[in-house]
Amino acid sequence: MPPVRPAHWAAELRRIAAPVLDPLPPLSASTIAAFRDDSGHARPADPWFLAHRARRCGVALSPASIPQPPPDAPPDVALWAAIALDLPPPIAFDERGPLFAQGDTALEVYTESLLSAMHALHWLARRDRDGRLLARNWLAARWFAEHLQPDNATNHPWAVHVFFAAAWHGVSSACRPLAETLLHNCQVALGRPDRLSAHILADAAEALADSDD
C-alpha cells in the first residue's frame, strides 16, 4: 500500500466533517454544556475536548466555564482536561504497549478511552514540543494496530490522525488500514458522521495539516 501524505487525509477529513458541522451553532460555554451526539448521549471527556475545539476555532472561554476534572478521572478525561486547562500531562504512561492497562474496564470502554487518550496525547506533544510524548504515541499506535480492533469501540474516530500520521512515518503497515476503518465506521450508522465524530474528524484534520515532515 503506497504512502499517502497527511495533507491528503487532512483534506478528506475536513470534507467529510464539514456538512455536519456547518449547520451547528458555534461552540460556546452554553453549547458545550448542552452538547449531545445524535443519539442524545454525552461522554465524560466531551466538555474538555469541546473546550479544546472551541479554542482551536478562536473562541475564548472564561476559565470558570471549564470545569476541573474529578480526582478519579479516566486517563483520557485527564488528558483532555490538561489540554483545555493548560495543565502538565497528568499521568505517567507505561514504557511500552498501550498508554495504560485495561484493568477491569470493559473492552469497548477501554478501547474508546485508549483511542481518545492517544488523540489527546498528540496535542499535548505538540503543545509542549515534546518529542518523547510523540514517540510514545507512535509506540501506542503500533501496539493498538497489532493487538486491538477499532470495532471494539463505539464508532467515534478518535486518534484517526495518529494512525494516518504513523503510517506516513513508517511506524507500522497496519496503521493506515486501521485509520481507514475508523473513518469508515463513524459513517456507517447515519451515512455520515454523528456530531461528535464530525468534531473529532475536524480536530484530526487540523492535527494532520502540518504533519508531512
Side-chain angles (χ1 to χ4, degrees):
M1 185 178 294
V4 178
R5 296 185 73 87
H8 165 85
W9 293 116
E12 182 68 0
L13 300 185
R14 282 193 294 267
R15 181 189 68 80
I16 294 169
V20 179
L21 294 179
D22 287 348
L24 295 182
L27 288 172
S28 65
S30 60
T31 59
I32 290 172
F35 182 84
R36 298 294 184 273
D37 66 17
D38 296 64
S39 299
H41 299 147
R43 284 137 303 273
D46 286 1
W48 295 282
F49 167 66
L50 293 171
H52 155 75
R53 287 292 305 139
R55 178 182 295 176
R56 298 290 303 179
C57 294
V59 177
L61 299 176
S62 70
S65 69
I66 306 175
Q68 294 292 319
D72 59 348
D76 64 313
V77 173
L79 288 167
W80 282 117
I83 293 170
L85 296 166
D86 289 321
L87 300 174
I91 61 177
F93 303 111
D94 296 340
E95 292 184 4
R96 56 179 59 87
L99 295 181
F100 49 89
Q102 180 177 353
D104 58 0
T105 305
L107 180 59
E108 293 81 2
V109 175
Y110 173 65
T111 302
E112 179 148 1
S113 180
L114 195 58
L115 289 170
S116 175
M118 291 167 61
H119 192 129
L121 186 60
H122 178 96
W123 283 114
L124 280 173
R126 284 190 44 183
R127 184 196 73 182
D128 297 346
R129 301 173 186 255
D130 192 332
R132 294 172 301 175
L133 291 181
L134 185 59
R136 182 62 189 89
N137 226 15
W138 292 153
L139 290 176
R142 181 190 305 160
W143 181 91
F144 191 103
E146 293 174 354
H147 292 89
L148 291 179
Q149 294 294 323
D151 293 344
N152 293 329
T154 55
N155 295 337
H156 296 126
W158 293 113
V160 63
H161 63 293
V162 174
F163 293 103
F164 279 134
W168 173 253
H169 288 284
V171 171
S172 169
S173 61
C175 284
R176 177 178 164 184
L178 192 150
E180 291 175 333
T181 299
L182 286 168
L183 183 57
H184 169 78
N185 286 356
C186 77
Q187 302 176 71
V188 169
L190 301 174
R192 57 165 176 81
D194 66 88
R195 291 177 206 136
L196 176 64
S197 292
H199 276 294
I200 293 170
L201 292 177
D203 192 62
E206 289 189 20
L208 281 173
D210 60 352
S211 298
D212 283 4
D213 296 332

